[in-house]
Structure formats: structure tokens, C-alpha cells
């Protein structure tokens, strides 16, 4: 409390200086003098960031005055540079023995032994560094570091005011002027959109940093927190998101964050130290952001995005602003943001919001999941997008091609308009196919099923007219959570999937974690080659409790119904036998306790090439086989499926792949075991045509592929295709894509 009172007193003095007359430089000079005196330090210096990532000594009490505006350090250079580079404080009793100490003779600092410095942060950016130094080897306390950070908050406002360094100096010299620009990113949700750029919630400008009356500020903070929490409750009750689903879980987690004690306490402490409510909220966020900026863990980064979201919400409440979709927003707009929390997206009018561009973000980002549910194209990891796009610019989000066009040229605009029109036309024509059978012109039926993994995917069953779920990737449900779901939590989700599907079959694949699919709550697996490492069935068999619980949940969910279970990455029969033994045991238990499933079908994913030579023994043991070409092809060519450099190198429509698949199809037909294919190939019309030509009759694919694949099937005559593919072995070895394309063109097949 004493420290808080002291810091309040100091802040009050600084406030008077800030509000006083004189230039920014004069005020800064006065501020460093006051700090030095108050903190009993012989030196207090303020370094300000200049163009080119250079920190310039702007004011000092204690160092030689001639060093001011002369001493400059690059970010990362010297202790000051390290503080800026790491965006974190440093307190050293013996600074000169630190390996990063950089001696600058003009400053005369050799007589000062101890040093404490903090970054001057604003909006997650380092604007400068504030340092105190002492002659003796002084051990600075945590409270002192904390106090200096609070003071740095005041300086941040001064530095951001643009009087010390012109804002134009720090504007990125990207050389793009106002020319059209194309930016690259990653696809977080497919689609194409055009609209006017709206910058997501420009920062609330904090006009007052130091509080006049801390008690009143505390009351304001508390009122704003309460208002924010109740607004979030209202948001969650909204009818379009109130129904269950992962986005619901995400929003619930978000609500929990809004009540996080640690977060609320840190803001309260900051108010007690003498800051206004707004400055306290900002200070806590700036520190969190700086602390977490180096975190690469996707889960933790997601938490940061949630906190950013809550912070800006809280600021809006403090400012008394309202959230309802702003009437001033353009009729069709593209939202540009650094990162975004899931709830924030829902604040915008969905009919006008056409696309989203994020500077950060990952495919598992919660905002991406919510955007998928709303069918909004999203591109993430677009470097410096906030600096390159101005509000009001025309922007094209071409998520399918991982690119953003800013101020697109006339040509690009026309091309986009044409593509949008084409898509609309295609959508309508695919919708018209919805209730027509997927049968070739000669009458051969092909079953089209969906790949799904979230409850949000299930409405597509009705929308596309798919005949069931051929692959339900259960791991996605696990990846969305903060901890392992219990058996009953799992069962309730699986039950909802089955209920939604009704009579249509659903094939549940047991957990396929490992590889690139990591669970945030499972300790990291240090695999050198994760795709070929400890993943899928291998983890399940080594951690049987995990598998047992999942199977128990599936059995419970399918009480009295049909249950289809599929084991991923089976490489040898023994693995199937072991997994099946777990299943049998659970079925036995379920039978003794309650209603077991009416029927259980067990399948295997064919993803590991070695299994080909075990098919004669494997097939009699299973009810169906599903080929996962995504993995199979990567193992066959020894080419990482996620490596963009290899993406074009090998073709699935090649002799090795097609011959292998043809052999699998023949074996299954002989053994009368139903065969499916659920890799990406199934959803590409030309690839799907080849698969049908070699004997596949069930394909499982992403919802957006059902229309195009059905259109292809309905225009296909099977006999000539089979005749072409019968000559497989005589065809040129590398790729058959060209040949198959020619065939489709010559025979009028819509690919
Ligand atoms: C596959 O490997 O083809 C497959 C469908 O599984 P996943 O993409 O989930 O690995
Ligand atoms: Mg796979």
C-alpha cells in the first residue's frame, strides 16, 4: 500500500508536468529530473525510438548533457537495446559485467554500476526505454520495477503524441504509396470477397493517464467490468449463436476469461498505483502483450487474442461507447485486424461483413472457427496489413489463393466480379442438384458423403444432400478444448452428431492426434518426424485409457443405434486386433450395464502403404475400409503433405497411386468389403472421376466439393473411362492428369 501511495504521489507530479506549458522536450527533461529525485537514482534517462529501429537518448538527468540526441543504440544493442528488443524490464546490480553492456564514452556512465530499465510500450509496440542508474551496486525491488513501468505509461502517451518524433518518421517506409498491392497470407477460411476496408476498432485514445481520484477510478473500472460481463452474457444469449457447437464452447471460455481473477486484480492494482481506469486496462494489456509476443504456442496466442478482445471491450465500456453494429459502416466491408477474439466478430453486422484479414491468426484460431460457422472468408498472417491498408480502401480477400488485394486495379476488380458471379451461378446450379442422385449417365450410383469434424459442419448434410458422414475427425473436438473431455462430455457431442445425421450413417474416426494435430493440454511430443511418429492409433494403443474412454463415449452415444468406428493409421493387423479388443471389452461392459448399439461396424483407414500386403488377412476382419490418400500419398512418395515446396512435385493422379488404389479396390471387391476414400482427392472432380474409373463407389469429401463432384458424375459415361484406365500400365509413368483432362473434355465430363 505504501508503495502504491508513493507511486501515486509521483504520478500526480508527473501529471502536473504533462499538463503544464512548455514543449514536449522541456516536459520530458523535467520528467526525468523528477523521476531521478523520486527514485533516489543519480541517473534517469529516456531513450526514444527513431526511424530505423534506433533508440536515441532524448533526455537525461545525470548523464552528460552533450550525449542527448547524440547517443544512439540499435534495438538489441547494449542493455537499453536489449530492453527494447525483449520488451521486458531489466534490473541489474552490476550492469557493467553484463555481456550486453555497451559502453558509450560520451555519456560518462562508467561510474554508475546498477541499472534498471523498462520499455515504454504502447499498443504492443516499444516506443522507447526508460532507465535509472545508481553509482552503488543497488538491488532494485519488484515494487520499484513496477513503479517505473507505471511511469513509462505516462511517457508512452508523451512519445505517442507525435511531438518528440514526428509520426511520419516512424511510419513504415514500405514504398507502396497508394498503389495497388497484393499481400500474401494463409487461408483460414475459404472464399472470395470484395469490400471497403474497415479497421477493427481503432484504439481508444487515452487522454488521461494519471488519476485525480483513485477511488472514483476504481468505481469506474468496476462498473465497466460489470457492464462488459453482462454484455457478454447478452451476446451469448443471441439466438443465432445460442445453439450448441464449438463456437459456443469457445464463447463460454471467453466468458470465463472476462471473469479471470488475475486479470481483474492486475487492473485494480494499476488503478491503486494512481493510473486512470483506462490507463490501467491498457497497461495490463501492454504488459501481457509484450510478455506473450514471443510465445509461439498457438493455444497461448489464442488466449492473448481473447484478452485483446476483452481489453478493447472494456475500453469501449469505459468510454461509454455502444457496440451495436455501427450504422456508419459500409454496406459491404472487409474487416482488417491484428488479431481478434471470437466474440468481437459477432459484434459486426453479418450481412455487411464480407471478409476478414488478420495480421496474426492460425487455422485453429477461435475467430477462424466462428468465421467458418458464419461462412466469412478469412486470411491470416498477412504481414503488416494494418500499416498497408487504410480505412476506406477497396480490398479483395481471395482466401482460396491465400492473397489480399489492396486498392485492386480495374483488371483485378473485374476478374473478381466475374469469379463471384460464376460462383453464385455454380452455387445455384449445385443447389439444384441437391436432390438428384449421384449417378453416372449409364446409371452407376456413387455414394457421396461428407468429411466433418465439428458440429458446425453437420448442417451441410442437409444443404448438400450428402448421404452421410464418411469421416468424422473426432480430434478436432479435442483440439478445441482446454483439457481432455470426459466420457460424458464426449458422449453428448457424439450423440448430437448422430441425432443430427438421423438415418444417415456416420463414421467416427478415433483420435488421430500427433503429427501436426497437437492437443494444447497434452505434453508436447518431441518427434523428429511427427507425421511418421507417435500419432493416431500408436498413441491410442500406448495410452489405452484415452482410447477406452473414447470408445465408451461412442458406445454410449450410439445406444440402440448403428455405430461405425474407424481406426486411423493402422500399419499392421496386430494394431487393429489390439484396438478391437478394447472395443469388444467396452461393448461387453455396455451390454451388461445398459443399451448397447444396435449394430457395430469396425473399419480401418488405409493410410500406410505396408498394409497393402496384409489386405488378404485384414479384410475378413473388418466391415469396411477407408483410404486416406492425404497420408497414403505422402508416405508413398516420401513427401510431406504440408510442405508447400513439394505440393506440386508429385501427383496423386499418377501410375503408382492409381495402380495401388486399383489393387485395393479389386481386393475389397473380391472380399466383399465396402470401400470408401476420404482423402482430399475424393473432392476434386478430375481425381474423383479417376477413382470411379478404377472402382470406387463411395467418396467422402468437404461439403463444398459435393456439388462439383456430383455434377461430374452426372455427366460421366463409365465404359470409355474404364477402358482408358485399363491401359494404366502402358500409360506414361509420371502423371495421368493431362490424359484424364483430355478424356473429360472429349467426353463432355464436367470437371
Ligand atoms: C487422410 O490421411 O487422407 C485423411 C483423410 O486423414 P487426415 O487428413 O485427417 O490425416
Ligand atoms: Mg490421415
Amino acid at each position: 500500500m505504501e508503495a502504491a501511495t508513493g507511486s501515486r504521489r509521483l504520478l500526480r507530479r508527473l501529471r502536473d508536468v504533462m499538463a503544464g506549458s512548455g514543449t514536449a522536450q522541456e516536459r520530458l527533461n523535467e520528467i526525468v529530473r523528477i523521476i531521478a529525485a523520486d527514485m533516489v537514482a543519480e541517473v534517469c534517462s529516456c531513450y526514444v525510438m527513431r526511424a530505423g529501429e534506433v533508440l536515441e537518448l532524448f533526455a537525461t538527468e545525470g548523464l552528460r548533457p552533450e550525449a542527448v540526441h547524440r547517443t544512439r543504440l540499435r534495438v538489441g544493442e547494449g542493455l537499453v537495446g536489449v530492453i527494447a528488443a525483449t520488451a521486458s524490464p531489466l534490473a541489474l546490480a552490476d550492469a557493467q559485467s553484463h555481456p550486453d553492456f555497451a559502453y558509450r564514452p560520451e555519456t560518462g556512465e562508467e561510474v554508475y554500476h546498477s541499472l534498471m530499465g523498462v520499455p515504454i510500450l504502447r499498443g504492443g509496440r516499444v516506443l522507447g526505454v526508460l532507465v535509472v542508474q545508481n553509482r552503488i551496486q543497488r538491488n532494485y525491488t519488484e515494487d520499484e520495477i513496477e513503479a517505473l513501468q507505471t511511469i513509462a505509461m505516462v511517457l508512452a502517451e508523451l512519445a505517442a503524441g507525435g511531438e518528440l518524433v514526428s509520426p511520419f518518421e516512424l511510419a513504415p517506409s514500405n514504398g507502396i504509396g497508394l498503389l495497388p498491392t497484393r499481400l500474401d497470407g494463409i487461408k483460414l477460411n475459404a472464399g472470395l470477397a470484395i469490400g471497403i476496408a474497415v479497421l477493427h476498432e481503432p484504439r481508444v485514445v487515452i487522454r488521461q493517464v494519471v488519476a485525480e481520484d483513485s477511488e472514483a477510478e476504481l468505481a469506474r473500472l468496476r462498473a465497466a467490468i460489470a457492464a462488459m460481463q453482462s454484455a457478454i452474457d447478452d451476446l451469448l444469449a443471441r439466438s443465432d449463436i445460442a445453439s450448441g457447437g464449438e463456437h459456443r464452447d469457445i464463447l463460454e471460455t471467453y466468458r470465463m476469461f472476462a471473469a479471470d481473477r488475475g486479470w481483474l486484480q492486475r487492473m485494480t492494482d494499476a488503478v491503486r498505483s494512481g493510473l486512470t481506469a483506462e490507463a490501467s486496462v491498457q497497461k495490463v494489456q501492454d504488459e501481457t502483450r509484450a510478455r506473450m509476443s514471443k510465445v509461439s504456442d498457438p493455444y497461448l496466442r489464442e488466449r492473448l487474442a481473447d484478452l485483446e478482445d476483452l481489453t478493447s471491450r472494456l475500453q469501449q465500456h469505459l468510454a461509454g461507447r455502444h457496440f451495436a453494429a455501427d450504422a456508419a459502416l459500409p454496406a459491404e466491408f472487409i474487416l482488417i485486424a491484428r488479431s481478434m477474439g471470437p466474440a468481437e466478430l459477432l459484434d459486426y453486422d453479418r450481412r455487411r461483413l464480407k471478409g476478414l484479414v488478420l495480421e496474426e491468426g492460425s487455422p485453429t484460431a477461435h475467430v477462424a472457427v466462428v468465421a467458418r460457422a458464419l461462412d466469412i472468408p478469412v486470411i491470416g498472417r498477412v504481414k503488416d496489413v494494418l500499416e498497408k491498408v487504410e480505412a476506406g480502401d477497396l480490398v479483395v480477400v481471395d482466401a482460396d489463393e491465400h492473397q489480399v488485394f489492396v486498392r485492386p486495379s480495374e483488371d483485378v476488380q473485374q476478374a473478381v466480379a466475374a469469379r463471384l458471379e460464376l460462383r453464385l451461378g455454380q452455387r445455384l446450379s449445385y443447389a439444384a442438384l441437391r436432390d438428384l442422385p449421384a449417378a453416372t449417365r449409364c446409371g452407376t450410383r456413387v455414394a457421396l458423403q461428407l468429411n466433418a469434424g465439428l458440429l458446425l459442419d453437420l448442417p451441410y448434410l442437409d444443404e448438400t444432400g450428402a448421404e452421410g458422414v464418411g469421416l468424422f475427425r473426432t480430434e478436432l473436438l479435442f483440439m478445441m478444448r482446454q483439457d481432455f473431455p470426459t466420457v460424458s462430455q464426449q458422449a453428448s457431442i457424439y450423440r448430437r452428431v448422430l441425432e443430427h445425421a438421423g438415418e444417415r450413417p456416420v463414421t467416427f474416426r478415433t483420435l488421430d492426434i500427433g503429427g501436426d494435430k497437437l492437443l494444447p493440454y497434452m505434453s508436447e511430443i518431441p518427434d523428429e518426424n511427427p507425421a511418421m511418429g507417435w500419432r493416431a492409433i500408436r498413441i491410442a494403443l500406448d495410452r489405452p485409457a484415452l482410447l477406452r474412454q473414447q470408445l465408451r463415449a461412442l458406445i454410449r452415444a450410439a445406444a440402440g443405434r448403428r455405430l461405425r468406428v474407424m481406426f486411423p493409421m493402422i500399419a499392421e493387423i496386430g494394431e487393429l486386433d489390439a484396438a478391437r479388443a478394447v472395443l469388444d471389452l467396452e461393448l461387453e461392459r455396455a451390454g451388461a450395464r445398459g443399451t448397447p448399439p444396435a449394430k457395430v461396424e469396425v473399419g480401418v483407414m488405409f493410410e500406410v502403404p505396408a498394409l497393402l500386403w496384409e489386405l488378404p488377412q485384414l479384410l475378413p476382419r473388418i466391415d469396411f475400409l477407408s483410404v486416406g490418400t492425404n497420408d497414403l500419398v505422402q508416405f508413398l512418395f516420401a513427401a510431406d503433405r504440408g510442405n508447400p515446396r513439394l505440393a506440386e512435385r508429385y501427383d496423386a493422379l499418377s501410375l503408382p497411386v492409381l495402380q495401388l488404389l486399383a489393387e485395393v479396390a479389386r481386393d475389397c471387391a473380391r472380399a466383399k468389403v465396402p470401400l470408401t476414400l476420404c482423402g482430399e482427392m475424393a473432392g476434386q472432380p478430375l481425381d474423383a472421376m479417376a477413382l470411379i474409373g478404377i472402382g470406387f463407389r463411395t467418396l467422402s469429401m468437404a461439403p463444398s466439393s459435393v456439388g462439383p463432384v456430383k455434377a461430374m458424375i452426372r455427366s460421366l459415361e463409365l465404359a470409355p473411362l474404364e477402358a482408358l484406365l485399363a491401359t494404366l500400365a502402358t500409360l506414361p509413368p509420371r502423371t495421368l492428369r493431362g490424359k484424364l483432362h483430355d478424356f473429360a473434355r472429349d467426353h463432355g465430363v464436367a470437371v
Side-chain angles (χ1 to χ4, degrees):
M1 226 22 182
E2 225 171 82
T5 318
S7 125
R8 230 168 19 225
R9 199 182 46 233
L10 172 60
L11 280 176
R12 232 172 271 138
R13 287 188 64 197
L14 295 180
R15 178 191 61 198
D16 293 343
V17 176
M18 290 279 281
S21 55
T23 63
Q25 178 71 55
E26 285 162 357
R27 275 177 282 158
L28 188 61
N29 294 345
E30 179 66 7
I31 285 173
V32 292
R33 208 184 51 71
I34 294 174
I35 299 170
D38 195 271
M39 300 201 102
V40 200
E42 281 98 16
V43 175
C44 175
S45 310
C46 179
Y47 293 79
V48 177
M49 188 75 83
R50 305 217 57 157
E53 303 252 285
V54 170
L55 293 148
E56 179 176 307
L57 179 64
F58 252 70
T60 184
E61 170 71 13
L63 296 185
R64 288 197 194 120
E66 56 269 30
V68 172
H69 297 302
R70 248 185 80 203
T71 296
R72 291 174 151 220
L73 294 152
R74 271 175 290 106
V75 169
E77 183 191 8
L79 297 174
V80 168
V82 167
I83 293 166
T86 56
S88 17
L90 203 60
L92 301 165
D94 181 9
Q96 294 180 16
S97 66
H98 192 282
D100 284 316
F101 182 79
Y103 174 56
R104 287 299 160 89
E106 73 274 12
T107 60
E109 67 182 330
E110 60 275 19
V111 294
Y112 304 108
H113 287 98
S114 53
L115 173 147
M116 164 168 71
V118 297
I120 299 172
L121 296 168
R122 197 168 191 276
R125 300 220 162 109
V126 177
L127 298 185
V129 172
L130 179 63
V131 177
V132 294
Q133 288 171 280
N134 280 83
R135 224 176 257 276
I136 54 160
Q137 294 203 354
R138 173 168 165 188
N139 287 308
Y140 300 98
T141 65
E142 282 294 321
D143 278 348
E144 285 172 320
I145 299 175
E146 182 70 23
L148 200 63
Q149 279 177 313
T150 303
I151 295 165
M153 205 46 221
V154 178
L155 288 177
E157 296 309 303
L158 189 65
E163 286 180 72
L164 294 173
V165 174
S166 146
F168 298 110
E169 179 177 324
L170 294 179
S173 55
N174 48 29
I176 57 168
L178 287 175
L179 296 172
T181 307
R182 197 187 69 86
L183 306 171
D184 289 315
I186 61 167
K187 172 171 74 182
L188 300 186
N189 190 35
L192 176 71
I194 184 163
I196 304 293
V198 167
L199 305 189
H200 173 57
E201 272 175 18
R203 275 175 63 89
V204 170
V205 181
I206 299 174
R207 302 199 189 287
Q208 207 181 340
V209 176
V210 184
E212 309 234 357
D213 174 353
S214 289
E215 284 311 312
E217 288 303 307
L218 213 49
R220 283 184 66 229
L221 178 67
R222 289 193 181 127
I225 290 170
M228 175 189 76
Q229 287 169 339
S230 94
I232 292 175
D233 289 346
D234 291 348
L235 190 69
L236 262 76
R238 240 171 63 178
S239 59
D240 56 341
I241 57 161
S243 65
E246 291 64 34
H247 60 298
R248 176 85 203 171
D249 294 345
I250 286 169
L251 295 170
E252 289 290 355
T253 317
Y254 177 85
R255 184 190 351 222
M256 269 167 42
F257 262 99
D260 181 81
R261 286 250 193 113
W263 184 57
L264 300 178
Q265 188 60 47
R266 282 196 294 282
M267 291 189 292
T268 309
D269 287 348
V271 172
R272 290 222 164 91
S273 76
L275 296 176
T276 56
E278 285 89 350
S280 301
V281 172
Q282 203 51 52
K283 174 174 182 266
V284 169
Q285 187 56 19
D286 280 342
E287 285 167 14
T288 312
R289 202 185 282 149
R291 204 171 55 238
M292 289 177 67
S293 64
K294 278 146 244 118
V295 171
S296 58
D297 181 275
Y299 178 73
L300 288 178
R301 292 205 66 83
E302 229 10 75
R303 301 276 67 77
L304 179 64
D306 286 354
L307 278 173
E308 297 268 6
D309 187 326
L310 286 168
T311 296
S312 64
R313 231 157 237 280
L314 200 48
Q315 293 288 22
Q316 308 276 351
H317 278 286
L318 281 168
R321 278 197 210 158
H322 219 61
F323 287 99
D326 193 340
L329 291 175
E332 300 199 327
F333 69 93
I334 305 288
L335 199 56
I336 318 281
R338 184 200 330 248
S339 67
M340 221 184 184
E344 271 175 311
L345 192 64
L346 297 169
D347 284 335
Y348 289 91
D349 180 350
R350 201 163 137 178
R351 284 157 307 180
R352 289 195 257 170
L353 172 58
K354 298 295 165 195
L356 174 64
V357 181
L358 299 172
E359 197 164 302
E360 298 175 356
S362 71
T364 53
H366 293 163
V367 67
V369 176
V370 174
R372 250 168 251 150
L374 303 180
D375 196 20
I376 296 167
V378 188
I379 302 204
R381 306 236 187 101
V382 183
K383 205 164 168 281
D384 300 332
V385 65
L386 282 170
E387 284 152 16
K388 293 180 177 164
V389 177
E390 308 232 355
D393 280 344
L394 190 64
V395 172
V396 171
V397 177
D398 184 2
D400 299 340
E401 301 296 332
H402 323 267
Q403 58 187 352
V404 178
F405 293 98
V406 186
R407 300 175 289 274
S409 64
E410 202 51 47
D411 296 352
V412 172
Q413 287 180 44
Q414 275 174 12
V416 169
R419 264 172 68 197
L420 282 171
E421 202 165 308
L422 189 71
R423 276 167 186 241
L424 187 65
Q426 275 173 344
R427 265 198 184 193
L428 293 175
S429 71
Y430 295 145
L433 289 181
R434 184 189 167 283
D435 297 319
L436 298 176
T440 60
R441 278 161 56 190
C442 43
T444 303
R445 289 291 298 254
V446 180
L448 302 186
Q449 300 185 327
L450 287 192
N451 288 352
L454 296 171
L455 292 169
L456 292 171
D457 297 328
L458 295 172
Y460 290 116
L461 272 175
D462 292 326
E463 213 171 284
T464 59
E467 296 178 31
V469 176
L471 166 65
F472 193 91
R473 293 179 161 107
T474 57
E475 61 276 6
L476 297 188
L477 298 169
F478 284 69
M479 287 162 73
M480 305 289 312
R481 299 179 52 96
Q482 293 182 66
D483 45 24
F484 276 112
T486 61
V487 173
S488 50
Q489 282 168 336
Q490 286 188 58
S492 110
I493 294 174
Y494 302 148
R495 199 172 296 120
R496 271 152 67 188
V497 174
L498 288 169
E499 274 161 12
H500 201 117
E503 289 301 301
R504 293 165 289 204
V506 177
T507 304
F508 288 99
R509 174 173 76 182
T510 60
L511 268 187
D512 182 8
I513 44 174
D516 61 340
K517 298 179 213 162
L518 298 177
L519 301 187
Y521 41 87
M522 203 165 152
S523 58
E524 206 166 301
I525 310 144
D527 261 340
E528 281 217 357
N529 196 346
M532 295 190 185
W534 194 55
R535 60 173 281 206
I537 196 72
R538 303 167 185 181
I539 295 184
L541 294 178
D542 292 351
R543 295 269 185 282
L546 210 67
L547 180 64
R548 207 163 36 232
Q549 286 184 10
Q550 186 173 33
L551 292 172
R552 194 175 303 162
L554 284 167
I555 291 167
R556 245 189 236 178
R561 301 170 189 255
R562 176 180 180 190
L563 173 63
R564 282 169 68 84
V565 179
M566 174 160 85
F567 297 112
M569 286 279 291
I570 296 285
E572 52 179 36
I573 289 177
E575 290 169 341
L576 167 70
D577 291 345
R580 188 172 202 131
V582 181
L583 176 65
D584 288 343
L585 205 65
E586 287 304 321
L587 282 169
E588 213 171 283
R589 285 184 48 170
R593 285 192 185 167
T595 321
K599 184 177 181 200
V600 179
E601 291 157 85
V602 176
V604 155
M605 278 196 84
F606 181 64
E607 296 172 284
V608 181
L611 205 59
L612 179 70
W613 291 274
E614 294 195 60
L615 283 182
Q617 294 89 335
L618 177 81
L619 292 175
R621 290 166 141 92
I622 55 177
D623 300 300
F624 62 94
L625 187 78
S626 186
V627 184
T629 40
N630 303 342
D631 275 313
L632 181 66
V633 172
Q634 82 163 342
F635 296 138
L636 208 57
F637 285 119
D640 182 349
R641 67 194 248 189
N643 187 331
R645 283 202 194 164
L646 302 179
E648 306 277 307
R649 196 166 188 114
Y650 306 102
D651 195 348
L653 289 184
S654 59
L655 210 50
V657 178
L658 290 180
Q659 281 195 316
L660 169 64
L661 294 177
E663 197 169 331
V664 174
R666 276 194 300 272
D667 285 353
C668 285
R670 215 174 292 133
K672 298 199 171 42
V673 171
L675 172 66
T676 321
L677 191 139
C678 60
E680 296 298 315
M681 266 185 100
Q684 312 292 329
L686 191 71
D687 302 39
M689 180 185 87
L691 293 170
I692 294 168
I694 56 174
F696 282 79
R697 292 294 176 266
T698 306
L699 300 174
S700 190
M701 61 199 73
S704 57
S705 289
V706 175
V709 170
K710 196 190 264 190
M712 178 279 292
I713 292 171
R714 291 179 58 81
S715 59
L716 175 67
E717 187 80 52
L718 211 46
L721 175 66
E722 285 173 341
L724 171 75
L725 289 169
T727 61
L728 262 187
T730 64
L731 294 171
R734 210 193 146 256
T735 169
L736 307 185
R737 191 164 292 276
K739 272 243 167 333
L740 287 161
H741 247 304
D742 295 347
F743 172 88
R745 189 199 53 219
D746 297 347
H747 292 79
V749 187
V751 286

